[in-house]
Coordinates of all heavy atoms in Angstrom, one line a residue:
M4 N 101.5 97.1 88.9 CA 102.4 97.9 89.7 C 102.4 97.3 91.1 O 101.3 96.9 91.6 CB 102.0 99.3 89.8 CG 102.9 100.2 90.8 SD 102.2 101.8 91.1 CE 102.4 102.6 89.6
V5 N 103.6 97.2 91.7 CA 103.6 96.8 93.1 C 103.8 98.0 94.0 O 104.6 98.9 93.8 CB 104.8 95.8 93.4 CG1 104.9 95.5 94.8 CG2 104.7 94.6 92.5
I6 N 102.9 98.1 95.0 CA 103.1 99.2 96.0 C 103.4 98.6 97.4 O 102.7 97.7 97.9 CB 101.8 100.0 96.1 CG1 101.5 100.7 94.8 CG2 101.9 101.1 97.3 CD1 100.2 101.6 94.8
K7 N 104.5 98.9 97.9 CA 105.0 98.4 99.2 C 104.9 99.4 100.3 O 105.5 100.5 100.2 CB 106.4 97.9 99.1 CG 106.6 96.7 98.2 CD 108.1 96.3 98.1 CE 108.2 95.0 97.3 NZ 109.6 94.7 97.1
V8 N 104.1 99.1 101.3 CA 104.0 100.0 102.5 C 105.0 99.5 103.5 O 104.9 98.3 103.9 CB 102.6 100.1 103.0 CG1 102.5 101.0 104.2 CG2 101.6 100.6 101.9
C9 N 105.9 100.3 104.0 CA 106.8 99.8 105.0 C 106.1 99.6 106.3 O 105.4 100.4 106.8 CB 107.9 100.9 105.2 SG 109.1 100.4 106.4
V10 N 106.4 98.4 106.9 CA 105.9 98.1 108.2 C 107.1 97.8 109.2 O 106.9 97.0 110.1 CB 104.9 96.9 108.2 CG1 103.7 97.2 107.4 CG2 105.5 95.6 107.5
G11 N 108.2 98.4 108.8 CA 109.3 98.3 109.8 C 109.0 99.0 111.1 O 107.9 99.7 111.1
S12 N 109.8 98.8 112.1 CA 109.4 99.3 113.4 C 109.1 100.8 113.5 O 108.1 101.2 114.1 CB 110.4 98.9 114.5 OG 111.7 99.2 114.1
S13 N 109.9 101.6 112.8 CA 109.7 103.0 112.9 C 108.4 103.4 112.2 O 107.5 104.1 112.7 CB 110.9 103.7 112.3 OG 110.6 105.1 112.2
C14 N 108.2 102.9 111.0 CA 107.0 103.2 110.2 C 105.7 102.6 110.9 O 104.7 103.2 110.9 CB 107.1 102.7 108.8 SG 108.3 103.7 107.8
H15 N 105.9 101.4 111.4 CA 104.8 100.8 112.2 C 104.3 101.8 113.2 O 103.1 102.0 113.4 CB 105.3 99.5 112.8 CG 104.2 98.9 113.6 ND1 103.1 98.3 113.1 CD2 104.2 98.8 115.0 CE1 102.4 97.8 114.2 NE2 103.0 98.1 115.3
L16 N 105.2 102.3 114.0 CA 104.8 103.3 115.1 C 104.2 104.5 114.5 O 103.4 105.2 115.2 CB 106.0 103.7 115.9 CG 106.6 102.6 116.8 CD1 107.9 103.0 117.4 CD2 105.6 102.2 117.9
K17 N 104.5 104.9 113.3 CA 103.9 106.1 112.7 C 102.6 105.8 112.0 O 102.1 106.7 111.3 CB 104.9 106.7 111.7 CG 106.1 107.3 112.4 CD 107.1 107.9 111.4 CE 108.3 108.5 112.1 NZ 109.3 108.9 111.1
G18 N 102.2 104.5 112.0 CA 100.8 104.3 111.4 C 100.8 103.5 110.1 O 99.8 103.7 109.4
S19 N 101.7 102.6 109.9 CA 101.7 101.8 108.6 C 100.4 101.1 108.4 O 99.8 101.1 107.3 CB 102.8 100.7 108.7 OG 104.0 101.3 108.7
Y20 N 99.8 100.6 109.5 CA 98.6 99.8 109.4 C 97.5 100.7 108.8 O 96.8 100.3 107.9 CB 98.2 99.3 110.8 CG 96.9 98.5 110.7 CD1 96.8 97.2 110.2 CD2 95.7 99.1 111.1 CE1 95.6 96.5 110.1 CE2 94.5 98.4 111.0 CZ 94.5 97.1 110.5 OH 93.3 96.5 110.4
N21 N 97.4 101.9 109.3 CA 96.4 102.8 108.8 C 96.6 103.2 107.4 O 95.7 103.4 106.6 CB 96.3 104.1 109.7 CG 95.8 103.8 111.1 OD1 95.1 102.8 111.3 ND2 96.2 104.6 112.0
V22 N 97.9 103.3 107.0 CA 98.2 103.6 105.6 C 97.8 102.5 104.7 O 97.2 102.7 103.6 CB 99.7 103.9 105.5 CG1 100.1 104.1 104.0 CG2 100.1 105.2 106.2
I23 N 98.1 101.3 105.1 CA 97.7 100.1 104.3 C 96.1 100.1 104.1 O 95.6 99.9 103.0 CB 98.1 98.8 104.9 CG1 99.7 98.7 104.8 CG2 97.5 97.6 104.2 CD1 100.3 97.5 105.5
E24 N 95.4 100.3 105.2 CA 94.0 100.3 105.1 C 93.5 101.4 104.2 O 92.6 101.3 103.4 CB 93.3 100.5 106.5 CG 93.5 99.3 107.4 CD 93.0 98.0 106.8 OE1 91.8 98.0 106.4 OE2 93.7 97.0 106.7
A25 N 94.1 102.6 104.3 CA 93.8 103.7 103.4 C 94.0 103.4 102.0 O 93.2 103.6 101.1 CB 94.6 105.0 103.8
F26 N 95.1 102.8 101.7 CA 95.5 102.4 100.3 C 94.5 101.4 99.8 O 94.1 101.4 98.6 CB 96.9 101.9 100.2 CG 97.9 103.0 99.8 CD1 98.6 103.7 100.7 CD2 98.1 103.3 98.4 CE1 99.4 104.7 100.3 CE2 98.9 104.3 98.0 CZ 99.6 105.0 99.0
K27 N 94.0 100.4 100.6 CA 93.0 99.5 100.1 C 91.8 100.2 99.7 O 91.2 99.9 98.6 CB 92.7 98.5 101.3 CG 93.7 97.4 101.5 CD 93.1 96.5 102.6 CE 94.2 95.6 103.1 NZ 93.7 94.9 104.4
E28 N 91.3 101.2 100.5 CA 90.1 101.9 100.1 C 90.4 102.7 98.8 O 89.5 102.8 97.9 CB 89.8 102.9 101.2 CG 89.2 102.1 102.5 CD 88.0 101.3 102.2 OE1 87.1 101.8 101.4 OE2 88.0 100.1 102.6
I29 N 91.5 103.3 98.7 CA 91.8 104.2 97.6 C 91.9 103.3 96.3 O 91.3 103.7 95.3 CB 93.2 104.9 97.8 CG1 93.0 105.9 98.9 CG2 93.6 105.6 96.5 CD1 94.3 106.4 99.5
L30 N 92.5 102.2 96.4 CA 92.6 101.3 95.2 C 91.2 100.9 94.7 O 90.9 100.8 93.5 CB 93.5 100.1 95.4 CG 94.9 100.4 95.8 CD1 95.7 99.1 96.1 CD2 95.6 101.1 94.6
K31 N 90.3 100.7 95.7 CA 88.9 100.3 95.3 C 88.3 101.5 94.7 O 87.6 101.4 93.6 CB 88.2 100.0 96.6 CG 87.6 98.6 96.7 CD 86.8 98.5 97.9 CE 87.4 97.5 98.9 NZ 86.8 97.4 100.2
K32 N 88.4 102.7 95.3 CA 87.7 103.9 94.8 C 88.2 104.3 93.4 O 87.3 104.7 92.6 CB 88.1 105.0 95.8 CG 87.5 106.4 95.4 CD 87.8 107.4 96.5 CE 87.3 108.8 96.1 NZ 87.6 109.8 97.1
Y33 N 89.4 104.1 93.1 CA 89.9 104.4 91.8 C 89.8 103.2 90.8 O 90.3 103.3 89.7 CB 91.4 104.9 91.9 CG 91.5 106.3 92.4 CD1 91.3 106.5 93.8 CD2 91.8 107.4 91.6 CE1 91.4 107.8 94.3 CE2 91.9 108.7 92.2 CZ 91.7 108.9 93.5 OH 91.7 110.1 94.1
D34 N 89.3 102.1 91.3 CA 89.0 101.0 90.5 C 90.3 100.4 89.8 O 90.4 100.1 88.6 CB 88.0 101.3 89.4 CG 87.4 100.0 88.8 OD1 87.4 99.0 89.4 OD2 86.9 100.1 87.6
V35 N 91.4 100.3 90.6 CA 92.6 99.8 90.1 C 93.1 98.6 91.0 O 94.3 98.3 91.0 CB 93.7 100.9 90.1 CG1 93.4 101.9 89.0 CG2 93.9 101.6 91.4
E36 N 92.2 98.0 91.7 CA 92.6 96.9 92.6 C 93.3 95.8 91.8 O 94.2 95.1 92.3 CB 91.4 96.3 93.3 CG 90.9 97.1 94.4 CD 89.5 96.6 94.9 OE1 88.6 96.6 94.1 OE2 89.5 96.1 96.0
D37 N 92.8 95.6 90.6 CA 93.4 94.5 89.8 C 94.8 94.8 89.2 O 95.5 93.9 88.7 CB 92.5 94.1 88.6 CG 91.1 93.6 89.1 OD1 91.1 93.2 90.3 OD2 90.2 93.6 88.3
L38 N 95.1 96.1 89.2 CA 96.3 96.5 88.6 C 97.4 96.8 89.5 O 98.6 97.0 89.1 CB 96.1 97.8 87.8 CG 95.0 97.7 86.7 CD1 94.7 99.1 86.1 CD2 95.4 96.8 85.6
V39 N 97.1 96.7 90.8 CA 98.1 97.1 91.8 C 98.2 95.9 92.8 O 97.2 95.4 93.3 CB 97.7 98.4 92.6 CG1 98.7 98.6 93.8 CG2 97.7 99.5 91.6
D40 N 99.4 95.5 93.1 CA 99.7 94.5 94.1 C 100.2 95.2 95.4 O 101.3 95.8 95.4 CB 100.7 93.5 93.6 CG 101.0 92.4 94.5 OD1 100.3 92.2 95.5 OD2 102.0 91.6 94.3
L41 N 99.3 95.3 96.4 CA 99.6 96.1 97.6 C 100.3 95.1 98.6 O 99.7 94.1 98.9 CB 98.3 96.7 98.2 CG 98.4 97.5 99.4 CD1 99.3 98.8 99.2 CD2 97.1 97.9 100.0
Q42 N 101.5 95.5 99.0 CA 102.2 94.6 99.9 C 102.8 95.4 101.1 O 102.9 96.6 101.0 CB 103.4 94.0 99.1 CG 103.1 93.2 97.9 CD 104.3 92.7 97.2 OE1 105.5 93.0 97.6 NE2 104.1 91.9 96.1
A43 N 103.1 94.6 102.1 CA 103.8 95.2 103.3 C 105.3 94.9 103.1 O 105.6 93.9 102.5 CB 103.3 94.6 104.6
S44 N 106.1 95.8 103.6 CA 107.5 95.6 103.3 C 108.3 95.8 104.6 O 107.9 96.6 105.5 CB 108.0 96.6 102.3 OG 109.4 96.7 102.3
F45 N 109.5 95.1 104.7 CA 110.4 95.4 105.8 C 110.9 96.8 105.6 O 110.7 97.5 104.6 CB 111.5 94.4 105.9 CG 111.0 93.0 106.3 CD1 111.1 92.0 105.4 CD2 110.4 92.8 107.5 CE1 110.6 90.7 105.8 CE2 109.9 91.6 107.9 CZ 110.1 90.5 107.0
C46 N 111.7 97.3 106.5 CA 112.3 98.7 106.5 C 112.8 99.0 105.1 O 113.7 98.3 104.5 CB 113.4 98.8 107.5 SG 114.2 100.4 107.5
L47 N 112.4 100.1 104.6 CA 112.8 100.6 103.3 C 114.0 101.6 103.4 O 114.4 102.1 102.4 CB 111.7 101.2 102.5 CG 110.5 100.3 102.1 CD1 109.3 101.0 101.7 CD2 111.0 99.3 101.0
G48 N 114.5 101.8 104.6 CA 115.7 102.6 104.7 C 115.5 104.1 104.8 O 116.5 104.8 104.6
H49 N 114.3 104.5 105.0 CA 114.0 106.0 105.1 C 113.2 106.2 106.3 O 112.2 107.0 106.3 CB 113.3 106.5 103.9 CG 114.1 106.2 102.6 ND1 114.9 107.2 102.1 CD2 114.1 105.2 101.7 CE1 115.5 106.7 100.9 NE2 115.0 105.5 100.7
C50 N 113.6 105.7 107.4 CA 112.8 105.7 108.7 C 112.5 107.1 109.1 O 111.4 107.3 109.6 CB 113.5 104.9 109.8 SG 114.2 103.3 109.3
A51 N 113.4 108.0 109.0 CA 113.1 109.4 109.5 C 112.0 110.0 108.8 O 111.4 111.0 109.3 CB 114.4 110.2 109.4
Q52 N 111.7 109.5 107.5 CA 110.7 110.2 106.7 C 109.5 109.2 106.6 O 108.7 109.4 105.6 CB 111.2 110.5 105.4 CG 112.3 111.5 105.4 CD 113.2 111.3 104.2 OE1 114.0 110.4 104.1 NE2 113.1 112.2 103.2
G53 N 109.3 108.3 107.5 CA 108.2 107.4 107.4 C 106.8 108.0 107.7 O 106.8 109.1 108.2
V54 N 105.8 107.5 107.3 CA 105.7 106.1 106.7 C 106.2 106.2 105.3 O 105.8 107.0 104.5 CB 104.3 105.6 106.8 CG1 104.1 104.3 106.1 CG2 103.8 105.5 108.2
T55 N 107.0 105.2 104.9 CA 107.6 105.2 103.6 C 106.7 104.2 102.7 O 106.4 103.1 103.2 CB 109.0 104.7 103.6 OG1 109.7 105.4 104.5 CG2 109.7 104.8 102.2
V56 N 106.5 104.6 101.5 CA 105.7 103.8 100.5 C 106.6 103.7 99.2 O 107.0 104.8 98.7 CB 104.3 104.3 100.2 CG1 103.6 103.5 99.1 CG2 103.5 104.3 101.5
Q57 N 106.9 102.5 98.8 CA 107.6 102.4 97.5 C 106.7 101.9 96.4 O 106.1 100.8 96.6 CB 108.8 101.4 97.8 CG 109.7 101.2 96.6 CD 110.9 100.4 97.0 OE1 111.7 100.8 97.8 NE2 111.1 99.3 96.4
C58 N 106.7 102.6 95.3 CA 105.9 102.2 94.2 C 106.9 101.7 93.1 O 107.7 102.4 92.7 CB 105.1 103.3 93.6 SG 104.1 104.1 94.9
E59 N 106.7 100.4 92.7 CA 107.6 99.9 91.7 C 107.0 100.0 90.3 O 106.1 99.2 89.9 CB 107.9 98.4 92.1 CG 108.7 98.4 93.4 CD 109.1 97.1 93.9 OE1 108.7 96.1 93.2 OE2 109.8 97.0 94.9
T60 N 107.4 101.0 89.6 CA 107.1 101.2 88.2 C 108.4 100.9 87.5 O 109.3 100.4 88.1 CB 106.7 102.7 88.1 OG1 107.8 103.5 88.3 CG2 105.6 103.1 89.1
P61 N 108.4 101.2 86.2 CA 109.8 101.0 85.6 C 110.8 101.8 86.4 O 111.9 101.3 86.5 CB 109.6 101.7 84.2 CG 108.1 101.4 83.9 CD 107.4 101.5 85.2
D62 N 110.5 102.9 86.9 CA 111.4 103.5 87.9 C 110.8 103.3 89.3 O 109.6 102.9 89.4 CB 111.5 105.0 87.7 CG 112.2 105.4 86.4 OD1 113.1 104.7 86.1 OD2 111.7 106.2 85.7
T63 N 111.6 103.5 90.3 CA 111.0 103.3 91.7 C 110.7 104.7 92.2 O 111.5 105.6 92.2 CB 112.1 102.7 92.6 OG1 112.3 101.4 92.1 CG2 111.5 102.5 94.0
L64 N 109.4 104.8 92.6 CA 108.9 106.1 93.2 C 108.8 105.8 94.7 O 108.1 104.9 95.2 CB 107.6 106.4 92.6 CG 106.8 107.5 93.3 CD1 107.5 108.9 93.0 CD2 105.3 107.6 92.8
L65 N 109.4 106.7 95.5 CA 109.3 106.7 96.9 C 108.4 107.8 97.5 O 108.6 108.9 97.1 CB 110.7 106.8 97.6 CG 111.6 105.5 97.7 CD1 112.9 105.9 98.3 CD2 110.9 104.4 98.5
L66 N 107.5 107.4 98.3 CA 106.7 108.5 98.9 C 107.1 108.5 100.4 O 107.2 107.4 101.0 CB 105.2 108.1 98.8 CG 104.6 107.9 97.4 CD1 103.2 107.4 97.5 CD2 104.7 109.2 96.6
H67 N 107.2 109.7 101.0 CA 107.6 109.8 102.3 C 106.5 110.5 103.2 O 105.6 111.2 102.6 CB 108.9 110.7 102.4 CG 110.0 110.1 101.7 ND1 110.6 109.0 102.1 CD2 110.7 110.5 100.6 CE1 111.6 108.7 101.3 NE2 111.7 109.6 100.3
N68 N 106.6 110.3 104.5 CA 105.6 110.9 105.4 C 104.2 110.6 105.0 O 103.4 111.5 105.1 CB 105.9 112.4 105.5 CG 107.3 112.8 105.9 OD1 107.8 112.3 106.9 ND2 108.0 113.6 105.1
V69 N 104.0 109.4 104.6 CA 102.6 109.1 104.2 C 101.8 108.8 105.4 O 102.2 108.1 106.4 CB 102.6 107.8 103.3 CG1 101.2 107.5 102.8 CG2 103.5 108.0 102.1
S70 N 100.6 109.3 105.4 CA 99.6 109.0 106.5 C 98.3 108.6 105.9 O 98.1 108.8 104.7 CB 99.5 110.2 107.4 OG 98.8 111.3 106.7
A71 N 97.4 108.2 106.8 CA 96.0 107.9 106.3 C 95.4 109.1 105.7 O 94.6 109.1 104.8 CB 95.2 107.3 107.4
E72 N 95.8 110.3 106.3 CA 95.2 111.5 105.9 C 95.6 112.0 104.5 O 94.9 112.6 103.7 CB 95.5 112.6 106.9 CG 94.7 112.5 108.2 CD 95.2 111.3 109.1 OE1 96.4 111.0 109.0 OE2 94.4 110.6 109.7
N73 N 96.9 111.8 104.2 CA 97.4 112.4 102.9 C 97.6 111.3 101.9 O 98.0 111.6 100.7 CB 98.7 113.1 103.1 CG 99.9 112.2 103.5 OD1 99.8 111.0 103.4 ND2 101.0 112.8 103.9
A74 N 97.2 110.1 102.2 CA 97.4 109.0 101.2 C 96.7 109.2 99.9 O 97.3 109.0 98.8 CB 97.0 107.6 101.9
E75 N 95.5 109.6 100.0 CA 94.8 109.8 98.7 C 95.3 110.9 97.8 O 95.5 110.8 96.6 CB 93.3 110.0 99.0 CG 92.5 110.2 97.6 CD 91.0 110.1 97.8 OE1 90.5 109.9 98.9 OE2 90.3 110.2 96.7
E76 N 95.7 112.0 98.5 CA 96.3 113.1 97.7 C 97.6 112.7 97.0 O 97.8 113.0 95.9 CB 96.5 114.2 98.7 CG 97.1 115.5 98.1 CD 97.5 116.5 99.2 OE1 96.9 116.5 100.3 OE2 98.4 117.2 98.9
L77 N 98.4 112.0 97.8 CA 99.7 111.5 97.2 C 99.4 110.5 96.1 O 100.1 110.5 95.1 CB 100.6 110.9 98.3 CG 101.2 111.8 99.3 CD1 101.8 111.1 100.5 CD2 102.2 112.8 98.7
F78 N 98.5 109.6 96.3 CA 98.2 108.6 95.3 C 97.7 109.3 94.0 O 98.1 109.0 92.9 CB 97.1 107.6 95.8 CG 96.7 106.6 94.8 CD1 97.4 105.5 94.6 CD2 95.5 106.8 94.1 CE1 97.0 104.5 93.7 CE2 95.1 105.9 93.1 CZ 95.9 104.8 92.9
A79 N 96.7 110.2 94.2 CA 96.1 110.8 93.0 C 97.1 111.6 92.2 O 97.1 111.6 91.0 CB 95.0 111.7 93.4
S80 N 98.0 112.3 92.9 CA 98.9 113.2 92.2 C 100.2 112.4 91.7 O 100.7 112.8 90.6 CB 99.4 114.3 93.1 OG 100.1 113.8 94.2
Q81 N 100.7 111.4 92.4 CA 101.9 110.8 92.0 C 101.9 109.4 91.5 O 102.7 109.0 90.7 CB 102.9 110.9 93.2 CG 103.2 112.3 93.6 CD 104.3 112.4 94.6 OE1 105.4 111.8 94.4 NE2 104.1 113.1 95.7
V82 N 100.9 108.6 92.0 CA 100.9 107.2 91.7 C 100.0 106.9 90.6 O 100.3 106.2 89.6 CB 100.6 106.4 93.0 CG1 100.7 104.9 92.7 CG2 101.6 106.7 94.1
Y83 N 98.8 107.4 90.7 CA 97.7 107.0 89.7 C 98.1 107.3 88.3 O 97.9 106.5 87.4 CB 96.4 107.8 90.1 CG 95.2 107.4 89.3 CD1 94.7 106.1 89.4 CD2 94.7 108.2 88.3 CE1 93.6 105.7 88.6 CE2 93.6 107.9 87.6 CZ 93.1 106.6 87.7 OH 92.0 106.2 86.9
P84 N 98.8 108.4 88.0 CA 99.2 108.7 86.6 C 100.2 107.6 86.1 O 100.3 107.5 84.9 CB 99.9 110.1 86.7 CG 99.4 110.7 88.0 CD 99.1 109.6 88.9
L85 N 100.8 106.9 87.0 CA 101.8 105.9 86.5 C 101.3 104.5 86.3 O 102.0 103.6 85.8 CB 103.0 105.8 87.6 CG 103.7 107.1 87.9 CD1 104.7 106.9 89.0 CD2 104.4 107.6 86.6
I86 N 100.0 104.3 86.7 CA 99.4 103.0 86.6 C 99.0 102.8 85.1 O 98.3 103.6 84.5 CB 98.2 102.8 87.5 CG1 98.7 102.9 89.0 CG2 97.5 101.5 87.3 CD1 97.6 102.9 90.0
Q87 N 99.5 101.7 84.6 CA 99.2 101.3 83.2 C 97.9 100.7 83.1 O 97.7 99.6 83.6 CB 100.3 100.4 82.6 CG 101.7 100.8 82.8 CD 102.1 101.9 81.8 OE1 101.6 102.0 80.8 NE2 103.0 102.7 82.3
K88 N 97.0 101.3 82.4 CA 95.6 100.8 82.3 C 95.5 99.9 81.0 O 96.1 100.2 80.0 CB 94.6 101.9 82.3 CG 94.5 102.6 83.6 CD 93.1 102.9 83.9 CE 93.0 103.4 85.3 NZ 91.6 103.5 85.7
Ligands
FES9 S1 111.0 101.5 109.3 FE1 110.0 102.2 107.4 S2 111.7 103.0 106.3 FE2 112.6 102.1 108.1

């Protein structure tokens, strides 16, 4: 799975860098580093609801208002179940 964290200007100001760092830790913690390609992305077109994270599964899952604080909760509830082990 590819996970793209938006680093467009609006999301950048809202803390994209911290979200990427949080996701790195979370992928390690859940032992799925090998199964997920974590990338930075240009503007994903949902600036008002940033930080935006796009997960490319067979369908595209968009996460909005992602922060370092809620990243693990969002990952565990919405993304982890979609990762093919
Ligand atoms: S800057 Fe992130 S969605 Fe536009």
Side-chain angles (χ1 to χ4, degrees):
M4 178 192 288
V5 176
I6 297 181
K7 292 180 176 173
V8 178
C9 179
V10 293
S12 49
S13 172
C14 289
H15 173 73
L16 289 174
K17 291 179 181 172
S19 297
Y20 178 78
N21 293 336
V22 170
I23 290 174
E24 291 305 307
F26 265 93
K27 280 185 194 167
E28 290 302 315
I29 292 163
L30 296 179
K31 242 186 247 171
K32 180 173 171 182
Y33 286 74
D34 198 23
V35 291
E36 283 172 294
D37 295 345
L38 302 174
V39 174
D40 185 9
L41 183 63
Q42 301 179 358
S44 165
F45 292 117
C46 178
L47 292 166
H49 300 270
C50 313
Q52 298 154 286
V54 174
T55 309
V56 175
Q57 180 172 301
C58 306
E59 295 179 356
T60 66
D62 295 319
T63 297
L64 170 70
L65 277 176
L66 304 175
H67 299 294
N68 302 307
V69 183
S70 67
E72 289 71 34
N73 68 12
E75 182 167 358
E76 185 189 329
L77 290 170
F78 176 84
S80 63
Q81 297 191 49
V82 183
Y83 188 66
L85 301 175
I86 295 175
Q87 308 284 332
K88 294 218 168 193

